[in-house]
């Protein structure tokens, strides 16, 4: 047994797992090519997306034929262990595992590489179907197709053309530019006197492409790097902190600010190593899910994680960190400590900001001064709490308004409770209490009326008769103010309602064909102001005339007279309302409307069309709003909130 020679072999099929199926998105794949350009000491990287291909060309040191064979085509080549941890210009190398170039096959079938180093040109074409063919044949190696020197298109650096892409590239340039900007903090920077510029279809990537700098409201910086970022943000307050890492963490005013132009969710803290993203979705990684976490964005730089003498802390796809590595655990503890501090501080900052935002409105500020010291504290807390809610600014306005109304009620309660201590001759004290009550009641009814008017106006868009009929049936009998604003407090008398429906609907006069003939949709009974109301809806498409309606309502009248007389309530008034979809036939005749009104009045009945109903209700509530808004002191405050916040 001692004479047996053992050896380890690697099947080409390993390529499927190491790189070919490593990524799923174009930005992640292109990031590998950009990282290689950085390691090649390139100053300029031009990315061109055209049709079904993507080209990445850099002006770095390039590769000779020997380099292509020993480095580019050598899967697992680790340049750092070959003494190349730092580039000639002093850049710290990004590549580590030597499999990133294989990721190009994650999105395409053909990769053509042209390169030139020290005037030596070389090139090759890699084919995914060719690799898969070699794998199927159990071959030990794959031989790419060479490109003759006279066809190599570069005289400096490297050009990689990705063809036969399996994903759509129609809308790639803009999103690719923005996503690369977030993956590399080194893009657009000059390090050791050497710039690193990347463009996509001729447009250079800049820090503005990250999209979140101008959305930051509060900013916590770590080290000099964080302080330099602070100058590019729109933060209203900046806090300098000391930590194991450098970078920054910010919060935005609205969680909606963290949706990018492309629909990406920017609500994330990215961990960067050597200027490249090493961990995304850090908040999820750390289990941070409090309310404040929905407003957080940031970049944490921890180059000390990547020690050339220690194991790699990154997973194979270099998009996340190995969780149980002790260095990652140390970073996690440091970041979580800062996030806990930020969470507590953020709550106070948002409370103060919410209060200040509301008090910027002069009318609100003047109103605030009328509160007692205890109520001022509570009102400020309420405004602040509203500001911390995960709502868009326009969604917070009603909450600010209702807060004012709530504190007005508290003021009124205190005012009325003091009446007991007023002397009998303190007329002015009594008047102040009652005036406060009237003003608040008027404003509350104003808000109710405004809501009703909004509902009424929404009916205008329902031009289709069937739709209008369906909506009205749903709301009308529960909200009789639609028929008449004076019926605001219409009540239901269950016993009387049952008797009315029994008398009106279950009589033999209303059976059989006649029920089909009159085309009833629904009938309801209510009582308002001591008056009995019978309301009948006709189908919107049915056209009636006065004579037909009179025959019907006269029978209702007879039944109601009998019912009221039988219960000794003959003196009580009642009214029958027929709601129709269209004008009655005879209304088009000379004096037709007036004659119809007079005839139906004899049976205690009247007719309204759906459009009349809407128009009358709108006019009534509009007139009330116009008259009351100038009379209410609170109106000016609430109107100012609508206009200013």
């Amino acid at each position: 047994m001692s004479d047996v020679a053992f050896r380890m072999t690697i099947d080409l099929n390993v390529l499927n797992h190491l790189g070919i199926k490593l990524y799923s998105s174009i930005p992640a794949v292109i990031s590998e090519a950009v990282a290689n350009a950085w390691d090649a000491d390139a100053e300029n990287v031009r990315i061109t997306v055209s049709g079904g291909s993507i080209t990445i060309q850099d002006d770095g040191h390039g590769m000779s034929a020997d380099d292509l064979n020993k480095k580019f085509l050598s899967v697992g080549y680790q340049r750092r262990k070959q003494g190349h941890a730092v580039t000639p210009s002093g850049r710290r190398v990004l590549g580590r595992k030597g499999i990133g170039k294989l990721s190009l096959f994650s999105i395409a079938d053909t990769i053509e590489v042209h390169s030139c180093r020290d005037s030596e040109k070389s090139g090759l074409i890699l084919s995914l179907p060719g690799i898969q063919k070699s794998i199927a044949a159990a071959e030990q190696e794959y031989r790419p197709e060479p490109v003759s020197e006279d066809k190599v298109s570069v005289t400096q650096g490297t050009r990689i053309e990705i063809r036969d892409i399996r994903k759509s590239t129609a809308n790639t340039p803009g999103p690719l530019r923005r996503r690369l900007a977030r993956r590399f903090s080194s893009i657009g920077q000059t390090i050791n006197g050497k710039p690193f510029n990347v463009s996509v279809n001729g447009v250079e990537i800049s820090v503005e492409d990250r999209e979140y700098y101008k959305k930051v409201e509060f900013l916590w910086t770590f080290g000099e790097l964080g302080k330099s970022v602070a100058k590019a943000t729109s933060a209203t307050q900046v806090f300098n902190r000391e930590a194991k890492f450098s970078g920054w963490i910010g919060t935005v005013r609205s969680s909606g600010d963290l949706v990018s132009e492309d629909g990406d969710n920017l609500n994330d803290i990215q961990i960067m190593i050597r200027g490249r993203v090493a961990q995304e979705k850090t908040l999820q990684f750390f289990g941070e899910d409090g309310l404040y976490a929905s407003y957080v964005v940031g970049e944490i730089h921890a180059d000390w994680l990547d020690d050339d003498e220690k194991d790699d802390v990154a997973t194979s796809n270099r998009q996340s960190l190995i969780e149980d590595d002790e260095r990652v655990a140390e970073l996690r503890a440091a970041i979580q400590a800062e996030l806990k501090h930020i969470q507590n501080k953020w709550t106070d900052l948002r409370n103060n900001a919410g209060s200040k935002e509301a008090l910027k409105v002069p009318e609100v500020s003047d109103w605030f001064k009328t509160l007692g010291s205890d109520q001022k504290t509570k009102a400020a807390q309420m405004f602040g709490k509203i500001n911390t809610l995960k709502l868009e600014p326009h969604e917070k306005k009603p909450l600010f308004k209702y807060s004012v109304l709530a504190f007005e009620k508290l003021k009124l309660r205190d005012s009325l409770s003091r009446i007991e201590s007023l002397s009998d001759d303190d007329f002015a004290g009594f008047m102040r209490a009652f005036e406060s009550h009237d003003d608040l009641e008027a404003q509350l009814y104003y808000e109710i009326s405004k809501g009703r008017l909004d509902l009424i106006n929404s009916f205008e868009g329902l031009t289709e008769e069937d739709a209008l009929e369906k909506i009205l049936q749903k709301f009308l009998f529960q909200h009789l103010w639609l028929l008449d604003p004076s019926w605001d407090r219409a009540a239901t008398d269950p016993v009387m309602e049952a008797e009315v429906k029994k008398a009106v609907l279950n009589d033999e006069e209303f059976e059989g064909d006649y029920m089909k003939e009159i085309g009833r949709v629904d009938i309801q009974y209510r009582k308002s102001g001591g008056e009995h109301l019978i309301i009948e809806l006709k189908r919107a498409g049915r056209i009636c005339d006065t004579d037909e309606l009179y025959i019907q309502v006269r029978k209702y009248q007879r039944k109601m007279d009998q019912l009221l007389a039988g219960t000794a309530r003959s003196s009580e008034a009642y009214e029958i309302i027929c709601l129709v979809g269209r004008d009655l036939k005879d209304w088009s005749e000379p004096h037709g409307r007036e004659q119809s009104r007079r005839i139906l009045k004899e049976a205690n009945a009247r007719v309204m069309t759906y459009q009349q109903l809407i128009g009358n209700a709108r006019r009534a509530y509009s007139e009330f709003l116009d008259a009351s808004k100038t009379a209410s002191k609170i109106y000016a405050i609430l109107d100012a909130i609508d206009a200013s916040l």
Side-chain angles (χ1 to χ4, degrees):
M1 289 291 293
S2 59
D3 295 331
V4 176
F6 296 100
R7 63 193 180 101
M8 177 183 289
T9 60
I10 298 179
D11 195 298
L12 275 178
N13 193 43
V14 173
L15 297 180
N16 275 320
H17 306 288
L18 287 179
I20 292 175
K21 298 178 180 178
L22 199 60
Y23 297 110
S24 60
S25 72
I26 290 177
V29 170
I30 302 304
S31 292
E32 291 296 340
V34 172
N36 286 341
W38 166 272
D39 291 348
D41 262 342
E43 294 186 6
N44 299 286
V45 183
R46 299 196 308 274
I47 301 169
T48 304
V49 182
S50 177
S53 69
I54 299 176
T55 302
I56 306 103
Q57 183 165 342
D58 67 59
D59 58 2
H61 54 56
M63 292 176 284
S64 64
D66 192 52
D67 291 330
L68 282 172
N69 248 333
K70 294 181 178 179
K71 298 176 182 178
F72 187 81
L73 292 176
S74 178
V75 177
Y77 171 77
Q78 299 183 50
R79 70 175 73 195
R80 298 193 199 182
K81 291 188 177 181
Q82 302 300 320
H84 304 296
V86 178
T87 70
S89 71
R91 290 178 180 172
R92 299 182 70 189
V93 168
L94 295 176
R96 182 149 184 167
K97 287 185 168 67
I99 61 174
K101 58 252 188 178
L102 295 175
S103 67
L104 300 174
F105 285 121
S106 297
I107 62 170
D109 288 347
T110 306
I111 311 297
E112 184 164 348
V113 181
H114 293 193
S115 196
C116 181
R117 179 165 191 158
D118 299 329
S119 300
E120 181 185 335
K121 293 182 176 183
S122 55
L124 54 84
I125 299 174
L126 294 157
S127 166
L128 180 58
I131 293 175
Q132 292 171 332
K133 185 177 179 181
S134 293
I135 292 173
E139 295 176 356
Q140 296 301 305
E141 62 182 27
Y142 163 71
R143 293 180 176 273
E145 177 188 344
V147 175
S148 62
E149 185 176 339
D150 62 310
K151 291 186 178 179
V152 173
S153 59
V154 297
T155 56
Q156 180 185 357
T158 301
R159 180 181 185 272
I160 299 175
E161 183 180 359
I162 308 170
R163 297 196 301 270
D164 304 319
I165 296 177
R166 298 187 296 277
K167 293 177 176 289
S168 172
T169 60
N171 299 313
T172 297
L176 178 60
R177 192 176 65 249
R178 288 182 282 272
R179 287 163 187 165
L180 287 176
R182 295 193 286 270
R183 286 174 172 272
F184 292 91
S185 63
S186 53
I187 291 179
Q189 305 297 309
T190 298
I191 301 170
N192 296 330
K194 193 174 184 66
F196 185 59
N197 299 313
V198 181
S199 65
V200 179
N201 283 18
V203 180
E204 289 214 352
I205 297 173
S206 67
V207 293
E208 284 75 18
D209 286 315
R210 296 179 191 172
E211 297 185 276
Y212 37 61
Y213 279 2
K214 295 302 181 182
K215 298 178 179 181
V216 172
E217 181 181 24
F218 306 127
L219 182 71
W220 287 263
T221 67
F222 307 92
E224 293 304 315
L225 177 60
K227 292 177 183 178
S228 67
V229 168
K231 300 173 184 176
T233 71
S234 56
T236 57
Q237 295 190 57
V238 178
F239 308 94
N240 298 317
R241 301 277 296 171
E242 294 294 329
K244 175 85 176 168
F245 50 81
S246 61
W248 60 276
I249 299 174
T251 59
V252 296
R253 183 182 298 272
S254 167
S255 58
D257 291 337
L258 292 178
V259 177
S260 77
E261 182 179 334
D262 310 309
D264 292 343
N265 184 5
L266 305 179
N267 178 208
D268 188 21
I269 297 176
Q270 298 191 131
I271 297 176
M272 315 288 285
I273 297 179
R274 300 191 177 189
R276 180 185 179 182
V277 66
Q279 172 73 55
E280 296 179 295
K281 303 190 183 304
T282 303
L283 291 169
Q284 296 177 22
F285 183 64
F286 288 165
E288 291 293 325
D289 57 0
L291 175 64
Y292 89 102
S294 300
Y295 295 78
V296 169
V297 66
E299 286 180 4
I300 296 301
H301 292 253
D303 289 354
W304 52 270
L305 287 177
D306 194 3
D307 189 330
D308 293 330
E309 303 302 318
K310 295 182 179 180
D311 292 338
D312 195 356
V313 296
T315 56
S316 294
N317 62 11
R318 308 207 68 80
Q319 295 187 85
S320 59
L321 301 173
I322 299 171
E323 292 188 40
D324 56 1
D325 187 284
E326 61 181 16
R327 289 163 291 171
V328 177
E330 183 180 357
L331 176 64
R332 168 187 273 179
I335 294 177
Q336 284 182 320
E338 287 305 311
L339 287 175
K340 185 57 64 179
H341 167 81
I342 289 170
Q343 180 180 17
N344 295 332
K345 186 70 175 176
W346 178 83
T347 301
D348 293 337
L349 290 169
R350 293 283 288 190
N351 284 344
N352 292 334
S355 180
K356 289 178 182 178
E357 185 73 14
L359 295 178
K360 283 180 183 178
V361 182
E363 291 84 354
V364 176
S365 180
D366 292 341
W367 166 82
F368 188 76
K369 294 171 185 175
T370 67
L371 300 176
S373 58
D374 186 50
Q375 288 184 348
K376 280 182 179 177
T377 300
K378 291 178 179 177
Q381 290 173 344
M382 177 66 80
F383 289 153
K385 192 67 176 177
I386 292 170
N387 200 46
T388 63
L389 295 177
K390 193 175 178 180
L391 297 172
E392 294 304 311
H394 71 277
E395 295 175 311
K396 295 178 183 178
K397 283 185 182 182
L399 299 181
F400 281 115
K401 293 167 67 175
Y402 295 143
S403 296
V404 170
L405 289 172
F407 280 97
E408 279 297 306
K409 290 191 73 172
L410 288 175
K411 281 173 58 181
L412 176 60
R413 184 194 65 186
D414 293 343
S415 177
L416 293 177
S417 66
R418 286 195 295 271
I419 287 180
E420 295 179 4
S421 62
L422 296 176
S423 61
D424 293 343
D425 58 353
D426 189 357
F427 180 74
F430 280 99
M431 289 304 295
R432 281 195 298 272
F434 294 141
E435 285 173 359
S436 297
H437 179 274
D438 289 345
D439 199 37
L440 180 59
E441 186 178 66
Q443 185 58 42
L444 290 173
Y445 194 70
Y446 176 89
E447 293 297 317
I448 292 171
S449 299
K450 190 172 183 298
R452 289 180 176 180
L453 185 60
D454 290 342
L455 178 60
I456 291 166
N457 287 336
S458 71
F459 289 149
E460 282 298 287
L462 300 172
T463 55
E464 187 181 336
E465 291 176 341
D466 289 343
L468 184 58
E469 177 186 295
K470 185 179 294 185
I471 293 293
L472 287 176
Q473 276 184 266
K474 183 177 180 180
F475 286 101
L476 183 61
F477 296 131
Q478 296 301 320
H479 307 287
L480 285 190
W481 47 264
L482 271 171
L483 277 172
D484 190 324
S486 67
W487 294 344
D488 195 7
R489 294 289 183 262
T492 300
D493 180 339
V495 175
M496 188 65 177
E497 181 175 26
E499 290 297 325
V500 168
K501 287 190 174 183
K502 180 180 178 182
V504 171
L505 295 178
N506 294 349
D507 191 270
E508 66 277 359
E509 290 182 289
F510 294 94
E511 291 180 353
D513 293 338
Y514 184 70
M515 289 297 293
K516 297 178 183 178
E517 183 184 334
I518 62 176
R520 182 187 294 118
V521 172
D522 201 359
I523 186 169
Q524 285 289 341
Y525 163 86
R526 289 290 185 273
K527 190 174 183 182
S528 179
E531 182 181 34
H532 303 279
L533 305 171
I534 296 176
I535 305 128
E536 178 173 293
L537 270 71
K538 292 290 186 184
R539 292 190 179 88
R542 179 174 173 76
I543 303 177
C544 309
D545 61 23
T546 301
D547 291 340
E548 178 185 337
L549 283 182
Y550 180 77
I551 293 172
Q552 186 176 345
V553 298
R554 181 69 185 91
K555 293 173 181 177
Y556 291 172
Q557 182 186 35
R558 184 165 56 253
K559 295 298 180 182
M560 281 298 297
D561 287 341
Q562 292 171 358
L563 179 61
L564 292 173
T567 55
R569 302 164 73 177
S570 295
S571 62
E572 296 181 5
Y574 63 86
E575 186 176 22
I576 304 164
I577 300 100
C578 296
L579 193 59
V580 299
R582 303 182 186 181
D583 287 355
L584 301 187
K585 295 177 188 176
D586 51 305
W587 283 4
S588 61
E589 300 172 3
H591 310 294
R593 285 181 183 271
E594 179 58 31
Q595 290 175 1
S596 174
R597 185 191 64 78
R598 188 171 58 252
I599 292 170
L600 293 174
K601 187 177 181 182
E602 294 176 2
N604 291 345
R606 62 184 166 111
V607 176
M608 293 181 70
T609 65
Y610 292 149
Q611 293 300 330
Q612 266 185 312
L613 176 153
I614 294 171
N616 291 347
R618 184 197 293 107
R619 280 193 298 275
Y621 284 108
S622 295
E623 289 169 3
F624 170 80
L625 293 179
D626 290 341
S628 64
K629 69 181 181 182
T630 56
S632 171
K633 297 174 185 176
I634 305 173
Y635 171 82
I637 302 170
L638 303 188
D639 190 51
I641 290 174
D642 265 336
S644 303
L645 289 185

